[in-house]
Amino acid sequence: MSSQRETARGFPARFNIPGTRVLALVLATAVVAYLAWKIGQSPPQALQFAFNGIAVGAVYALLAMGFTLVYSTVWFFDLYYGAAAALGAYGVFYLRTATALGSRADVNNVYVNAVFAAVVGGVVAWVLYTLLHPRLRGRFTPNTIGVASGLLGGGAGAYTGIVLAFPENLHLTLSPAIGVVVAAAAIVVPFWAVQTFVPNIRLSRFTAIAGLPAVVIGAWCGYLTAGAPGAGLYLSWAVSCLLAGCVGLALYRGLYMYMRERARSPLIMLVASLGILLAVAAFIVIVFEAAPRPLPTAFGSETWKIAGARIKGFNIFAIGVALAGFAILWLLLKQTSFGRAVRAIGDDEEVSKVVGINTTVIIAGVFFIGAMYAALAGILTGHDTAVQPRMGLLLLLKGWIASVVGGIGNLYGAIVGGFVLGVVEQFGIWDLAGEWKDAIAFVLLILFLSFWPQGLLPRR
């Protein structure tokens, strides 16, 4: 039954052609022998390629984790995922290059600000209405809840417009939002911890106890942010990821949801998302032109020499981000009701609706989170190489290859596949030009689709 379900969702069954296992064993033996020979030939260079592969693999792992989350929930290949990676990288360029140039006139665009402000306002209004309507419909009319949600969404959109219009003052414009987020986290996180020991405690009662300390902590964090102008680059990371996530959520709610209900065809969804990917790429060319653009220098750009290999602190940070992203996503999927709902929808969406899961809200959250992971991967890539309008498509393909290598639909396979792809790419160009790296990735994809179609860690 499991095999039939995987085949129906696009997973090829494991081939049982005579001789394929023997050929696969020969290939694996040849690869191991080649690696042993090259490592013995130059251990420092092997260490350098290994570290480079792990650093690049961290980005691929982030891409694969977000892609796996989206694909294993809705079971279609969303090409916007690549556009989200490009939006993340160009978002940082948009917010920080103006400051570096000392003038906002060359980069900052009022129409771009208005578009993203409208998207954020619409998303916030929809989220608030969706969350508040089931809880307050006995006390207020739907129109009242809708108007209140619209006003709050409009406020969020206006605030977004202000943040984007004054990128050189991100530390000032974002300090109130950071204070509110920290204060809320200072209530919610301890509440979850206390619930483990006191299951019957109410959030309202806990807030009455912990509210004042949480407000003080939030205000202090907001004050520290306002006095840290050097934090602008890293605040732009958060803004770019959130904007990419909001666009992903808006696309699902405004387009994909209706197409899934009416078309019920993965091919139509694929074509629609391809149009979105091309439209975003064209939008980027119009705003930023087609030339590659460098991002401002981040921390950790100094090179350390360890055992003959040169290692950058930023690359170590990228590896840490990938591991932290995996841990957060694992906790979200395995330890929360949201994660259980995601897994239930991935297994059978219709049954999930029958048992009372609000599939629209859950899937919208999945698109939001997946787009944020893609945007973060794009940002890390952009700080390592120049950003360009077509970077989204290549990153999308690398994330998909990493998912296939690791085992598509498996979170553990996503992070393993990302690191494996990165290391194979780097060792593959040891005796070749760097331009062969992408070709090596696609050869690896073909080999896995031919001999290990379920990946290193198949979905159970």
Side-chain angles (χ1 to χ4, degrees):
M1 179 65 68
S2 175
S3 176
Q4 292 175 354
R5 184 172 66 248
E6 290 174 354
T7 303
R9 287 171 174 172
F11 294 103
R14 187 179 298 275
F15 291 173
N16 195 25
I17 302 173
T20 54
R21 293 186 179 181
V22 175
L23 182 56
L25 181 60
V26 170
L27 288 173
T29 304
V31 169
V32 172
Y34 173 78
L35 290 177
W37 172 54
K38 299 302 290 185
I39 292 172
Q41 190 179 43
S42 178
Q45 194 170 0
L47 179 62
Q48 182 70 66
F49 277 110
F51 175 76
N52 291 345
I54 294 173
V56 174
V59 175
Y60 296 161
L62 275 175
L63 291 164
M65 283 185 281
F67 175 81
T68 294
L69 175 66
V70 174
Y71 187 82
S72 62
T73 304
V74 294
W75 301 108
F76 82 87
F77 194 21
D78 180 22
L79 296 180
Y80 165 73
Y81 192 74
L87 284 178
Y90 272 96
V92 175
F93 177 83
Y94 184 79
L95 292 170
R96 301 315 302 162
T97 303
T99 303
L101 294 175
S103 170
R104 290 186 285 114
D106 294 334
V107 178
N108 201 271
N109 187 306
V110 64
Y111 300 107
V112 173
N113 299 342
V115 168
F116 281 106
V119 170
V120 171
V123 165
V124 171
W126 177 78
V127 170
L128 288 175
Y129 181 81
T130 304
L131 294 178
L132 295 177
H133 181 260
R135 294 171 174 80
L136 301 179
R137 60 186 174 185
R139 301 172 57 185
F140 301 98
T141 64
N143 289 337
T144 302
I145 299 173
V147 170
S149 301
L151 290 174
L152 292 173
Y159 180 65
T160 301
I162 294 172
V163 170
L164 297 177
F166 301 98
E168 69 277 14
N169 294 319
L170 284 180
H171 61 293
L172 297 176
T173 55
L174 287 177
S175 58
I178 290 174
V180 171
V181 170
V182 171
I187 293 175
V188 173
V189 174
F191 174 72
W192 285 343
V194 170
Q195 267 193 320
T196 305
F197 305 99
V198 188
N200 296 327
I201 189 170
R202 294 179 177 272
L203 180 60
S204 57
R205 184 175 181 181
F206 185 84
T207 302
I209 299 172
L212 182 59
V215 169
V216 172
I217 294 172
W220 177 247
C221 289
Y223 172 76
L224 293 178
T225 303
L233 175 61
Y234 311 109
L235 292 174
S236 71
W237 291 4
V239 173
S240 299
C241 290
L242 288 172
L243 289 177
C246 286
V247 173
L249 192 157
L251 285 173
Y252 170 73
R253 182 61 184 84
L255 179 63
Y256 292 159
M257 189 182 77
Y258 298 106
M259 294 187 69
R260 292 183 73 223
E261 290 176 353
R262 297 174 183 177
R264 295 184 179 274
S265 170
L267 179 60
I268 293 177
M269 301 297 299
L270 177 66
V271 173
S273 62
L274 174 61
I276 292 168
L277 174 63
L278 297 177
V280 170
F283 174 78
I284 290 174
V285 171
I286 292 171
V287 175
F288 301 103
E289 300 181 351
R293 302 295 187 94
L295 293 185
T297 302
F299 69 93
S301 299
E302 305 83 13
T303 302
W304 305 332
K305 194 167 184 178
I306 301 176
R310 297 186 178 276
I311 298 173
K312 289 170 58 176
F314 186 79
N315 295 134
I316 296 176
F317 169 75
I319 297 170
V321 169
L323 297 176
F326 171 79
I328 292 171
L329 201 55
W330 184 87
L331 289 172
L332 185 66
L333 294 177
K334 303 296 183 181
Q335 304 297 323
T336 67
S337 57
F338 174 83
R340 289 189 288 271
V342 168
R343 286 181 280 134
I345 293 171
D347 289 335
D348 196 316
E349 185 174 347
E350 295 303 322
V351 173
S352 300
K353 292 178 181 179
V354 171
V355 299
I357 295 176
N358 191 333
T359 57
T360 301
V361 173
I362 298 299
I363 296 175
V366 165
F367 273 85
F368 179 81
I369 296 170
M372 286 188 64
Y373 270 69
L376 183 56
I379 291 170
L380 295 177
T381 300
H383 278 292
D384 211 27
T385 60
V387 299
Q388 53 183 328
R390 305 295 179 184
M391 65 182 291
L393 177 59
L394 184 59
L395 288 175
L396 169 72
L397 294 175
K398 293 299 180 69
W400 181 58
I401 294 172
S403 299
V404 172
V405 170
I408 195 164
N410 188 337
L411 182 61
Y412 301 98
I415 190 168
V416 171
F419 285 120
V420 168
L421 176 60
V423 171
V424 169
E425 278 188 350
Q426 293 300 315
F427 276 95
I429 60 173
W430 190 319
D431 295 318
L432 300 172
E435 290 77 7
W436 283 90
K437 183 173 63 175
D438 296 335
I440 291 169
F442 287 108
V443 169
L444 183 67
L445 172 65
I446 293 171
L447 290 175
F448 267 85
L449 289 178
S450 300
F451 303 113
W452 302 282
Q454 295 180 17
L456 297 173
L457 300 174
R459 175 184 169 95
R460 300 297 181 186

